[in-house]
Amino acid sequence: MNYLNMVAFGIFPYIAVIVFFVATWVRYDREQYTWKASSSQLLESKMLQRGSKPFHIGIIMVLMGHFVGLLTPVEAWHFLGIHAEFKQLIAMGMGGFFGLICLYGMVILIVRRLANARVRASSSTMDIVVLLMLCVQLLLGLSSIFVSAHHLDGSEMLMLMSWAQNFVTFDAVAAAQSIAPVHWIYKLHVFFGMTLFIAFPFSRLVHIASVPVKYFGRNYQVVRKKAWK
């Protein structure tokens, strides 16, 4: 097996996940005041509203599609009567549809952040970098659809599923072997995706992990009427 392939797809993903969890925990524990999305809506709202909704809808659906598509065992798909060829067509259609929705919103958000002087001044370097990284990752994913169109038998999709499932079961060697034969565009998409895991704890992306569960169990806020004299 190629040594670089083993490092990139058998070892690096675990390093990325470890950094993701450890650095995220440390930031939450030590720097809670930085744990926010840092909204710039007060500086400019029109483009934000136009871009934010399609971006979030698209990226949520794309991520859900990746999670279900890659981690659901082949046997489960066969039980449902869905074979590799049809599953690939679904992935190409749904991924392309929601990917384009996400790209539409992302382009608006990038233009807004770079072209609006007030928003640009309030942006950190990491804000811009992570947005561009997401854009590159999305473009890689959309580009892979054209590659998939040349092999509609679903063979490379099965290899990517094998990589993901071996990865989550901690079989690094089998994972690296599974992904070795796939087209370079898929490999670059996977590698860049794992790199985003490393960037996550050091960017505003941490707000994704914030779910206001404490809100439901907190004490009622006591509001007293003002006594007028």
Side-chain angles (χ1 to χ4, degrees), residues 70-91:
L70 291 175
L71 298 181
T72 303
V74 175
E75 294 76 13
W77 291 109
H78 288 171
F79 177 78
L80 295 173
I82 301 175
H83 296 280
E85 298 88 344
F86 185 58
K87 180 178 180 295
Q88 178 163 314
L89 290 176
I90 294 174

Side-chain angles (χ1 to χ4, degrees), residues 136-152:
V136 170
Q137 178 67 347
L138 181 59
L139 290 174
L140 286 172
L142 290 171
S143 299
S144 70
I145 295 175
F146 297 99
V147 179
S148 298
H150 290 86
H151 49 82
L152 295 175

Side-chain angles (χ1 to χ4, degrees), residues 3-228:
Y3 176 75
L4 183 60
N5 184 77
M6 180 63 194
V7 172
F9 303 105
I11 298 175
F12 175 69
Y14 291 104
I15 296 175
V17 171
I18 290 171
V19 172
F20 171 82
F21 282 109
V22 174
T24 299
W25 179 80
V26 170
R27 180 172 176 181
Y28 182 80
D29 184 61
R30 301 184 60 181
E31 300 181 27
Q32 290 192 16
Y33 287 108
T34 69
W35 192 282
K36 56 185 178 179
S38 300
S39 176
S40 55
Q41 185 174 358
L42 292 175
L43 302 177
E44 196 282 328
S45 62
K46 186 175 181 180
M47 291 186 69
L48 180 63
Q49 292 176 359
R50 283 181 53 201
S52 182
K53 289 181 180 179
F55 168 74
H56 283 93
I57 291 172
I59 201 167
I60 288 171
M61 295 304 296
V62 167
L63 289 175
M64 287 177 59
H66 278 63
F67 182 80
V68 174
L70 291 175
L71 298 181
T72 303
V74 175
E75 294 76 13
W77 291 109
H78 288 171
F79 177 78
L80 295 173
I82 301 175
H83 296 280
E85 298 88 344
F86 185 58
K87 180 178 180 295
Q88 178 163 314
L89 290 176
I90 294 174
M92 291 169 61
M94 298 296 287
F97 177 72
F98 286 107
L100 288 174
I101 290 175
C102 183
L103 182 62
Y104 168 77
M106 182 175 291
V107 169
I108 294 175
L109 295 178
I110 291 175
V111 171
R112 172 183 179 270
R113 190 159 294 276
L114 296 180
N116 187 294
R118 298 175 67 192
V119 177
R120 178 66 181 269
S122 68
S123 304
S124 67
T125 301
M126 181 55 78
D127 290 339
I128 297 172
V129 168
V130 78
L131 194 57
L132 294 177
M133 287 178 68
L134 287 170
C135 186
V136 170
Q137 178 67 347
L138 181 59
L139 290 174
L140 286 172
L142 290 171
S143 299
S144 70
I145 295 175
F146 297 99
V147 179
S148 298
H150 290 86
H151 49 82
L152 295 175
D153 59 350
S155 58
E156 295 211 13
M157 178 191 64
L158 292 175
M159 287 186 278
L160 290 168
M161 290 172 62
S162 180
W163 170 81
Q165 292 168 27
N166 281 304
F167 168 70
V168 298
T169 55
F170 302 102
D171 193 340
V173 175
Q177 288 175 336
S178 298
I179 203 173
V182 305
H183 192 279
W184 64 266
I185 193 74
Y186 300 112
K187 290 184 177 181
L188 196 56
H189 186 55
V190 170
F191 184 84
F192 212 76
M194 301 312 300
T195 304
L196 280 168
F197 273 79
I198 294 179
F200 180 93
F202 308 102
S203 69
R204 65 169 59 201
L205 292 177
V206 292
H207 78 278
I208 298 171
S210 296
V211 180
V213 292
K214 292 183 179 179
Y215 174 84
F216 299 101
R218 71 178 185 176
N219 294 327
Y220 290 107
Q221 182 178 1
V222 178
V223 180
R224 304 180 192 276
K225 292 182 179 180
K226 184 176 180 180
W228 294 94

